Amino acid sequence: RLSASVGLQGRALEAMRGVDRAEFASGTGGAYDDAPQRIGHGATISAPHMHAMALKLLADRLQPGCRALDVGSGSGYLCVVLARMVGPSGR
């Protein structure tokens, strides 16, 4: 659905598909809904389309071996997706 709604494709889409969002959201049962989910302490994990938009904008810069910094990472989901984009030689 993300590829159609946001236009995410290629490595960025594969990186998102490779990380199970349910591991980063509280057990609310809606981890795969395109909506923010509670992660505790009054915080939420952003909706998947928001992560997809960020990746779409950054995809050209997130090449293997590059560096990426996610400030205010919240659940850590996007950090893991960024790590998949830059690969094992990235930071």
Side-chain angles (χ1 to χ4, degrees), residues 2 8 10-21 24 45 48 51-56 58-59 62-63 68 70 75-87:
L2 290 174
L8 192 66
R11 291 176 45 253
L13 180 60
E14 293 307 312
M16 276 192 75
R17 286 180 174 161
V19 180
D20 187 354
R21 183 173 147 87
F24 298 87
I45 180 175
H51 289 143
M53 288 296 292
L55 289 172
K56 182 178 177 183
L58 294 170
L62 295 172
Q63 299 300 317
D70 183 14
S75 71
Y77 172 80
L78 190 58
C79 285
V80 175
V81 176
L82 295 173
R84 291 180 64 89
M85 295 282 297
V86 299

Side-chain angles (χ1 to χ4, degrees), residues 1-8 13 16 34 48-50 52 77:
R1 288 185 268 180
L2 290 174
S3 57
S5 66
V6 178
L8 192 66
L13 180 60
M16 276 192 75
D34 192 19
H49 77 273
M50 296 303 294
Y77 172 80

Side-chain angles (χ1 to χ4, degrees), residues 25-60:
S26 296
T28 61
Y32 304 110
D33 295 344
D34 192 19
Q37 301 296 313
R38 296 188 186 283
I39 59 173
H41 304 286
T44 60
I45 180 175
S46 297
H49 77 273
M50 296 303 294
H51 289 143
M53 288 296 292
L55 289 172
K56 182 178 177 183
L57 293 171
L58 294 170
D60 290 341

